[in-house]
């Protein structure tokens, strides 16, 4: 058995790829632990065989306690709040493996009251099982029509929240959409709702899956579109997608160099009493630098830039 993790270990302040792995399959969970994903999500919901819903809880507990997860954020996804499984999923898995878990991913969240209910349950479970108060963090899926409409209130509903995740297939199923080749046109409103809600509350935002997982070129182009839209990362459903996604959401050295150059030029101009400046063919001011400043901050967190840069 691996050493017990400190219950105060800080969880990563970024998420590029989150890998979803069926909770009933220990072999796949072992494989997931060996990937480079920032977070692995052991799934009791839609990725878990319906016939295995109850025994899968024990598999998730065993995996959490015995596998070496490296520096990854470790999460599990219980079944939805409106299913007969939810309560036992939460109490059994947290009760038996709470000190090994970082995040609980809530599916099909409809409104802030769903999150507040789980927040209170976790408060009790943390008391009962002697876990640090607030140690268990939440990421929630925005994947219903209500969820999209309530995204702003959901994002502000609990201090445990770390990220909002957009779930494309459930959302498509609910509104009657087909997931086709351009999800960035067809689902703009829903994606942007999740993204703006997350940002307004200071949370991370992750885009949904590319179900045609064998097509790594598609995974890459969809990741690039998500990143361009503003997302911090994306879900993976297969280990082969993880590296592709991680790479897209990691700022390249070229991007970091360019950002540092432009930010430095702007600061220098400011010291000389100038505001907007021209770098190359482009006007650069405070607003045009904001995304680059975010990338520089991420580059620092990832150790790609020295803290003084
Ligand atoms: N996590 C960890 N390991 C995985 C994995 C995952 N999500 N998906 C596949 N693997 C493993 C397989 O077990 C296999 O391992 P092996 O080489 O040791 O035998 C290897 O990766 C290659 O898998 P492959 O044969 O290409 O795929 P598959 O046919 O076994 O599985 C899926 C395809 C889609 C069924 C599987 O990837 C899966 O269940 N993904 C997750 C689905 C999910 O979580 N859905 C809910 C969230 S939207
Ligand atoms: Mg879903």
């Amino acid at each position: 058995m691996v050493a017990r993790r400190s219950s105060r270990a800080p969880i990563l302040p970024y998420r590029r790829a989150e890998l979803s792995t069926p909770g009933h399959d220990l072999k796949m969970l072992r494989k997931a632990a060996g990937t480079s994903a920032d977070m692995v999500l052991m799934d009791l919901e839609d990725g878990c065989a319906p016939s295995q819903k109850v025994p899968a809880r024990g598999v998730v507990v065993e995996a959490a306690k015995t596998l070496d997860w490296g520096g990854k954020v470790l999460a599990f996804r219980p079944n939805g709040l409106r299913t007969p499984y939810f309560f036992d999923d939460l109490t059994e898995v947290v009760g038996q493996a709470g000190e090994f878990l970082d995040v609980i991913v809530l599916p099909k969240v409809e409104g802030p009251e769903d999150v507040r209910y789980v927040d209170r349950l976790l408060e009790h479970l943390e008391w009962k099982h002697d876990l640090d108060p607030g140690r268990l963090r939440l990421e929630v899926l925005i994947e219903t029509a209500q969820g999209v409409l309530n995204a702003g209130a959901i994002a502000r509903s609990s201090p445990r929240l770390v990220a909002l995740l957009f779930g494309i297939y459930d959302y498509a199923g609910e509104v009657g959409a087909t997931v086709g080749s351009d999800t960035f046109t067809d689902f703009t409103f829903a994606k942007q709702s999740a993204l703006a809600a997350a940002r307004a509350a200071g949370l991370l935002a992750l885009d949904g899956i590319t179900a045609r997982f064998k097509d790594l070129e598609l995974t890459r182009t969809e990741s690039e579109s998500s990143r361009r839209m503003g997302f911090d990362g994306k879900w993976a459903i297969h280990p082969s997608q993880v590296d592709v996604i991680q790479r897209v959401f990691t700022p390249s050295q070229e991007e970091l160099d360019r950002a540092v150059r432009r930010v430095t030029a702007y600061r220098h101009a400011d010291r000389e009493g100038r505001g907007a400046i021209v770098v190359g063919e482009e006007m650069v001011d405070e607003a045009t630098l904001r995304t680059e400043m975010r990338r520089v901050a991420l580059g620092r967190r990832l150790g790609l830039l020295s803290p003084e840069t």
Side-chain angles (χ1 to χ4, degrees):
M1 183 144 134
V2 293
R4 215 169 133 146
R5 299 198 306 178
S6 157
S7 62
R8 275 185 296 278
I11 64 170
L12 294 179
Y14 50 84
R15 305 277 193 283
R16 291 162 298 173
E18 296 192 349
L19 173 62
S20 173
T21 299
H24 61 271
D25 192 327
L26 192 57
K27 190 174 140 279
M28 279 207 208
L29 290 167
R30 191 170 295 119
K31 186 130 191 152
T35 66
S36 62
D38 290 330
M39 181 173 114
V40 169
L41 174 164
M42 302 181 282
D43 193 16
L44 295 179
E45 202 219 15
D46 291 348
C48 176
S51 61
Q52 301 301 308
K53 293 278 185 199
V54 173
R57 291 175 192 144
V59 179
V60 165
V61 167
E62 187 187 342
K65 287 166 97 164
T66 62
L67 297 179
D68 181 356
W69 295 95
K72 287 180 197 55
V73 177
L74 184 57
F76 90 102
R77 176 166 71 166
N79 286 282
L81 273 83
R82 292 165 186 79
T83 70
Y85 299 110
F86 171 76
F87 187 79
D88 289 342
D89 286 349
L90 193 75
T91 53
E92 286 184 27
V93 176
V94 170
Q96 293 171 46
E99 72 266 42
F100 298 91
L101 295 166
D102 303 304
V103 167
I104 293 154
V105 176
L106 297 179
K108 301 183 180 68
V109 167
E110 302 265 8
E113 63 287 353
D114 285 355
V115 182
R116 282 196 288 268
Y117 167 67
V118 179
D119 184 297
R120 294 306 304 272
L121 284 178
L122 290 175
E123 201 176 318
H124 286 273
L125 289 169
E126 285 166 346
W127 284 335
K128 181 171 174 187
H129 299 290
D130 206 18
L131 300 167
D132 286 347
R135 130 164 206 80
L136 293 163
R137 312 301 297 272
L138 292 172
E139 297 190 10
V140 305
L141 275 148
I142 303 297
E143 55 181 347
T144 65
Q146 279 292 347
V148 166
L149 294 176
N150 290 330
I154 291 170
R156 291 188 302 273
S157 58
S158 162
R160 294 179 192 271
L161 281 165
V162 183
L164 298 190
L165 319 169
F166 177 62
I168 193 162
Y169 280 91
D170 270 303
Y171 181 75
E174 190 157 324
V175 301
T178 306
V179 181
S181 60
D182 188 0
T183 63
F184 293 86
T185 304
D186 300 341
F187 295 88
T188 307
F189 172 72
K191 285 187 193 240
Q192 291 283 15
S193 299
L195 182 60
R199 291 292 183 250
L203 306 181
L204 297 169
L206 279 91
D207 204 0
I209 66 166
T210 296
R212 288 175 52 196
F213 64 93
K214 292 185 184 170
D215 189 343
L216 294 181
E217 187 52 23
L218 180 66
T219 303
R220 186 178 64 75
T221 54
E222 291 200 337
S223 302
E224 282 169 352
S225 298
S226 305
R227 187 190 194 226
R228 214 164 32 245
M229 193 176 254
F231 286 100
D232 299 290
K234 177 175 165 71
W235 276 40
I237 49 162
H238 190 279
S240 64
Q241 292 181 308
V242 170
D243 288 342
V244 176
I245 296 173
Q246 296 271 97
R247 205 170 313 123
V248 169
F249 286 98
T250 303
S252 68
Q253 200 54 54
E254 199 185 340
E255 281 173 336
L256 289 173
D257 290 346
R258 179 177 190 269
V260 168
R261 228 174 21 247
R262 284 156 52 95
V263 171
T264 307
Y266 179 72
R267 293 213 176 111
H268 182 74
D270 185 32
R271 279 196 294 277
E272 293 179 344
R274 288 182 291 144
I277 56 167
V278 180
V279 179
E281 299 287 295
E282 261 180 73
M283 184 278 287
V284 170
D285 69 0
E286 196 74 30
T288 60
L289 287 175
R290 287 185 70 177
T291 295
E292 283 179 300
M293 284 176 178
R294 293 182 76 91
R295 293 209 173 128
V296 169
L298 175 60
R300 272 202 201 101
R301 285 189 212 112
L302 291 167
L304 303 173
L305 279 173
S306 67
E308 312 81 58
T309 316

